[in-house]
Amino acid sequence: AQTVTQSQPEMSVQEAETVTLSCTYDTSESDYYLFWYKQPPSRQMILVIRQEAYKQQNATENRFSVNFQKAAKSFSLKISDSQLGDAAMYFCAYRSWGDKIIFGKGTRLHILP
Amino acid sequence: DTGVSQNPRHKITKRGQNVTFRCDPISEHNRLYWYRQTLGQGPEFLTYFQNEAQLEKSRLLSDRFSAERPKGSFSTLEIQRTEQGDSAMYLCASSQEGQHTEAFFGQGTRLTVV
């Protein structure tokens, strides 16, 4: 069965600095997708960034980028120029083609002014 | 397109009562997911539908839980004989399989069993 592991329950970063959130996953599939979702306090989950496993190029969305290491089954999220609005729970998620999405336990990110 | 809508937003019920939640997905989305989330944890998969067909139900889900999507549009999640351990946020998400790889989430229904 596929699993997603986030080893950092909480992290803090100074405003305007860069932070990296870690995620590892386990799968025997070759065709799959990885995601980072953000869940602000008392607000709904929104997609931050998506990575297709067949793409070697790391995905980037403005200040958010990933480091996708397929052989190591690692998928980290880098947030550059951290802003107060980035404070939230961040969930790493996995799905194989046509299947359900499974989530890690999350990392709570604090932004220090 | 108003996004995924869940009702009610909050539900307080007494132990032993039955509760039903509704999810209206983004129109034309053929896939619908239900997840449960407890405080400080990640969403835990419950079940999902492709149109009206229930494709998978979590083995962690007891027989007290049932979900339907009768016409392939909205879905309901019923919990019978609620227990205090059922207290959680119940999240619904939808996607258009073949077009989206990610799911779009609603705001959730927070259930408190007293």
Side-chain angles (χ1 to χ4, degrees):
Chain A
Q2 295 91 354
T3 58
V4 177
T5 301
Q6 295 180 248
S7 59
Q8 305 151 315
E10 287 194 62
M11 292 195 70
S12 297
V13 62
Q14 208 75 34
E15 195 176 2
E17 297 294 308
T18 295
V19 64
T20 298
L21 309 184
S22 300
C23 173
T24 58
Y25 59 95
D26 188 25
T27 184
S28 58
E29 302 285 340
S30 59
D31 187 13
Y32 54 87
Y33 309 91
L34 296 163
F35 313 95
W36 280 97
Y37 278 86
K38 172 185 177 181
Q39 188 177 41
S42 301
R43 298 186 64 182
Q44 71 195 91
M45 190 108 61
I46 58 173
L47 179 71
V48 174
I49 198 165
R50 167 201 319 114
Q51 175 79 45
E52 292 86 349
Y54 65 85
K55 291 185 178 179
Q56 293 191 344
Q57 187 172 5
N58 289 323
T60 299
E61 289 287 343
N62 301 314
R63 298 183 295 108
F64 299 86
S65 62
V66 299
N67 184 4
F68 173 47
Q69 301 290 326
K70 190 172 184 178
K73 296 180 182 174
S74 169
F75 183 61
S76 61
L77 174 70
K78 185 172 81 172
I79 306 174
S80 303
D81 185 27
S82 297
Q83 300 175 0
L84 294 177
D86 294 333
M89 284 289 287
Y90 286 82
F91 295 100
C92 179
Y94 163 99
R95 70 167 292 194
S96 57
W97 189 86
D99 204 352
K100 62 188 178 292
I101 301 174
I102 59 173
F103 289 83
K105 292 185 180 300
T107 296
R108 182 172 299 282
L109 179 64
H110 302 276
I111 310 297
L112 307 175
Chain B
D1 187 349
T2 57
V4 178
S5 176
Q6 293 189 245
N7 287 287
R9 294 288 308 281
H10 303 273
K11 178 71 176 178
I12 300 175
T13 191
K14 292 185 177 180
R15 190 173 49 187
Q17 297 294 305
N18 299 345
V19 294
T20 300
F21 310 141
R22 177 176 170 127
C23 172
D24 288 272
I26 295 171
S27 60
E28 299 176 357
H29 277 194
N30 54 15
R31 188 163 282 197
L32 187 147
Y33 304 84
W34 285 101
Y35 290 86
R36 177 172 60 191
Q37 186 179 27
T38 54
L39 198 61
Q41 298 296 311
E44 175 190 23
F45 169 75
L46 295 180
T47 188
Y48 75 119
F49 295 83
Q50 177 93 1
N51 299 311
E52 65 273 14
Q54 189 172 22
L55 297 186
E56 185 176 344
K57 183 177 176 179
S58 170
R59 283 170 286 181
L60 302 175
L61 214 57
S62 78
D63 291 341
R64 296 184 298 106
F65 288 72
S66 63
E68 292 184 340
R69 194 183 183 199
K71 296 183 179 180
S73 56
F74 73 92
S75 175
T76 57
L77 177 68
E78 181 183 19
I79 309 174
Q80 296 182 326
R81 305 181 302 281
T82 52
E83 302 172 356
Q84 285 191 320
D86 297 331
S87 296
M89 177 75 83
Y90 289 84
L91 299 173
C92 177
S94 71
S95 67
Q96 180 63 21
E97 192 64 13
Q99 182 175 341
H100 305 125
T101 56
E102 73 273 19
F104 298 82
F105 280 81
Q107 292 188 293
T109 294
R110 180 168 298 283
L111 173 66
T112 302
V113 182
V114 299

